[in-house]
Amino acid sequence: MHPTGKSPPVENALNGSKELTFEDVKNELYNRHHPSLTSLDIEVHAKTIHKIRTLKKKHDVVMLGHNYMEPLVFGLSEKEEQGDSLGLSMFAAKTEAPYLIFNGVPFMAETAKILSPDKTVLVADKTAGCSLADNFGAEDVRKLKELYPGAPVMIYVNSYADAKAESDICCTSANAAHIAKTMPGDTIIFVPDIFFAQNLEEELKGEKNVVYPGKDNTARGAVCEVHERFTLSDLLAIRESFEIPKGHSKRKLYAHWECRPNVLKEADFYGSTSQIMKDIAARVADDQLERAFVASECELTSNLAQEFPKVEFWTACSVRCSHMAKVRLDKIANILEAIDSGEDLNEYEVTLDPEVINKARLPIERMLEASV
Ligand code: 13P
Ligand code: SF4
């Protein structure tokens, strides 16, 4: 409850032309985050959030927010600025704003830079990595192409621009199965995520032969260090203790594509972060969901719990991506203050060699064309 004892109606001042006051921001935070965040949490962060939102508006900054952002950071982005890797790439491709702050990890911001090379693309922490992108590079793609000459290389978006530049088509977890089916020939090379490749292999059984690092070869691949942590026995224990039996009509277990194959098989639904959110939204709209567990990064569940308060989510899970967690309110405020004072933006700006941009754009544009 707001300290005044009442919850004042909130107009989203950010969308209107009126000046955004500190009280507006505080009221909005109470309405949106209380009681999952305490009054103290809100009081402590309201000043920084007011500064961010005021400067965001003043400088016409687009602020993209990945679904894994903690709720206070996620809430800085307008609904249409929030999403999964595919949705955010699509938004980046069409935005006109001069500054784009990407609240996510740098490989995601690189995609935005490739699609909008004239824009200033900024991230809160350039050192934030990703166990998939960090452990696989352009040289690894070239080696696989030598091993399977002629087979098209499909590269998961969780990779850096130089590796994408060596590949034929990009994909995200929202469109991988669809894109694989559109590829010529009966064999595709999928990189770098080994679990994802195995899941895709299962999904495309009888349609496509999927080759990947470590399958009949000694090539180097990678796995997501976050999704790797969910095991089949964890899921079975959650089904039992949280009472989500298989086949229950209103209790569901969700998993992200990056999970281990036996975890994906156990799930009632699997997809990208936004596909999981959409399935939950559709079930809630039909009054068909009372309880859920999501085998993915835990802030996705925090955001879902906030959006769908009537669903009981297992929020005790603390599987957090340490890279995504580097994106914090204070760092975002620093970027906006640097824009406002005309300071050098080097510390935050994502830059790429123009030649790499040109080569990496093709696989990303092919993906966008092939996406449904
Ligand atoms: P999405 O494409 O589903 O947003 O996932 C990105 C990611 O990094 C998952 O760990
Ligand atoms: Fe990379 Fe996994 Fe973190 Fe996603 S959750 S950014 S795949 S390490």
Side-chain angles (χ1 to χ4, degrees), residues 4 6-7 21 25 28 32 38 40 49 51 56 67 77 114 123 137 143 154 176 210 315:
T4 58
K6 26 182 178 128
S7 287
T21 67
V25 169
E28 199 174 311
R32 204 185 275 173
T38 66
L40 190 62
I49 293 175
K51 188 193 294 168
K56 176 182 190 281
N67 295 328
S77 299
I114 292 163
V123 286
K143 273 192 195 142
M154 228 175 111
V210 182
T315 52

Side-chain angles (χ1 to χ4, degrees), residues 66 68 105 107-108 129-133 156 158 193 223-227 256 258 296-297 320-324:
H66 187 263
Y68 287 165
V105 287
F107 80 77
M108 294 180 169
C130 165
S131 65
L132 289 169
Y156 189 36
N158 294 40
D193 188 334
V223 296
C224 165
E225 67 192 21
V226 174
H227 292 88
H256 192 274
E258 291 167 13
S296 189
E297 215 273 356
R320 181 81 172 109
C321 173
S322 62
H323 310 288
M324 291 281 185

Side-chain angles (χ1 to χ4, degrees), residues 160-180:
Y160 293 116
D162 58 340
K164 287 190 177 84
E166 293 293 327
S167 306
D168 296 296
I169 193 161
C170 185
C171 71
T172 75
S173 49
N175 58 21
H178 169 76
I179 285 183

Side-chain angles (χ1 to χ4, degrees), residues 288-312:
Q288 289 301 311
L289 193 66
E290 59 184 26
R291 189 171 288 188
F293 174 77
V294 183
S296 189
E297 215 273 356
C298 63
E299 297 296 14
L300 173 62
T301 301
S302 312
N303 292 321
L304 283 163
Q306 193 175 293
E307 186 157 356
F308 305 107
K310 289 197 179 132
V311 179
E312 290 180 292

Side-chain angles (χ1 to χ4, degrees), residues 277-289 308 311:
M277 286 174 128
K278 272 189 204 133
D279 187 80
I280 289 174
R283 284 181 198 276
V284 170
D286 291 344
D287 200 16
Q288 289 301 311
L289 193 66
F308 305 107
V311 179

